[in-house]
Amino acid sequence: MQEPDKTNLYLVPTPIGNLEDITLRAIRVLKEVDVILAEDTRTSGKLLQHLGIDKRMHSHHLHNEHKATAHLVDRLKAGEVMALVSDAGTPGISDPGFFLVRECLKHDLKVECLPGPTAFVPALVKSGFSTDRFTFEGFLPLKKGRQTRLLSLATEERTMIFYESPHRLLKTLTQFQEYFGGERLASVSREISKMFEETVNGTLDELVQLFTTKAIKGEFVLVVAGAEGKQKNSKHDHD
């Protein structure tokens, strides 16, 4: 029998850049669980070493999560307590986690997600666009469905947030320019919480021109204002 209030699986956010961003509670949980499920055990191993935590780790990533989940659920039902971490940020946000969480809930296993780092929140807040209503789109489809998604978002009135890799950044900005219009305001943040963190705001025309000549390095968060000028630079602006 499981203890009524016992947490079986913890989702533990890890720093997306600055190692000081991890919480005291996250450190305690990582020390107390029986095993840590890590997207990349080498990456997480460096963090654990930095924190002085010596804990058994298992690899749990995009390519094995479906196959491994049934076995993990059985172990959790038998009483093991696990923590799931991704390479950086909150598990399940554009990273593995959803499938395991869903299966745990199906089997009445208690899942707890600790609050902590995720790249899109600071990028959204410092973009200056409305935070009253927004939509997180993550990574756009690479090929199939990409055009359909962009067409559907062209009239989206909420602030839109996207993740993008450096080698696709210019292509994505150019497509935004094409589908949303060159005058649409946007914000590009890179390397959130890292040494070379940078945010650039402007119209899509200006951003495409800038990144045509600018060196593109790091991981990016793109924040795009909603359609038809209904979003102002701040939710506190009034006519």
Side-chain angles (χ1 to χ4, degrees):
M1 284 287 289
Q2 294 289 331
E3 297 172 30
D5 296 323
K6 178 184 176 182
T7 297
N8 304 99
L9 175 68
Y10 290 93
L11 307 180
V12 181
T14 53
I16 56 176
N18 193 319
L19 294 180
E20 293 179 359
D21 290 340
I22 196 161
T23 67
L24 296 174
R25 183 179 173 207
I27 295 171
R28 176 180 61 77
V29 168
L30 291 175
K31 287 179 178 179
E32 291 178 354
V33 295
D34 299 312
V35 64
I36 296 171
L37 306 176
E39 185 179 5
D40 186 326
T41 55
R42 294 165 299 181
T43 300
S44 297
K46 292 175 184 175
L47 175 64
L48 295 180
Q49 185 177 23
H50 172 78
L51 297 172
I53 298 174
D54 182 16
K55 186 67 59 172
R56 191 159 45 104
M57 284 192 292
H58 288 318
S59 180
H60 187 79
H61 49 72
L62 185 65
H63 303 293
N64 75 352
E65 62 175 337
H66 284 72
K67 185 177 179 181
T69 292
H71 177 59
L72 292 175
V73 167
D74 286 341
R75 290 172 55 181
L76 289 164
K77 289 168 72 174
E80 280 192 79
V81 179
M82 301 183 184
L84 175 66
V85 299
S86 60
D87 289 348
T90 300
I93 303 295
S94 295
D95 279 319
F98 160 74
F99 191 73
L100 178 58
V101 169
R102 185 179 66 179
E103 292 305 302
C104 284
L105 296 178
K106 281 183 183 178
H107 290 84
D108 295 323
L109 294 167
K110 184 176 178 182
V111 178
E112 195 165 348
C113 183
L114 277 60
T118 188
F120 78 80
V121 173
L124 168 65
V125 172
K126 68 179 186 170
S127 72
F129 303 141
S130 174
T131 57
D132 287 347
R133 298 173 67 236
F134 59 87
T135 174
F136 173 67
E137 295 293 324
F139 289 97
L140 286 167
L142 294 182
K143 294 179 181 178
K144 186 178 180 182
R146 189 178 180 93
Q147 182 179 1
T148 303
R149 180 76 61 84
L150 287 167
L151 280 169
S152 71
L153 291 173
T155 55
E156 173 60 66
E157 295 179 4
R158 295 171 294 179
T159 300
M160 297 173 283
I161 308 165
F162 305 86
Y163 284 166
E164 196 49 278
S165 61
H167 63 277
R168 284 196 300 267
L169 175 69
L170 186 56
K171 174 186 175 182
T172 298
L173 286 173
T174 303
Q175 288 180 321
F176 286 173
Q177 182 186 39
E178 176 186 350
Y179 285 89
F180 303 159
E183 291 303 308
R184 184 79 70 93
L185 293 173
S187 175
V188 178
S189 291
R190 73 179 188 99
E191 299 292 86
I192 297 277
S193 187
K194 298 179 183 175
M195 184 180 295
F196 299 106
E197 179 176 350
E198 179 184 24
T199 296
V200 182
N201 289 5
T203 65
L204 286 169
D205 281 344
E206 291 168 341
L207 292 170
V208 167
Q209 184 177 5
L210 172 65
F211 284 100
T212 299
T213 57
K214 183 181 175 67
I216 301 176
K217 296 180 180 179
E219 296 299 316
F220 290 84
V221 184
L222 314 180
V223 184
V224 182
E228 300 177 8
K230 298 189 181 206
Q231 304 246 15
K232 300 192 175 183
N233 280 356
S234 169
K235 66 180 180 179
H236 301 297
D237 290 343
H238 299 283
D239 291 332

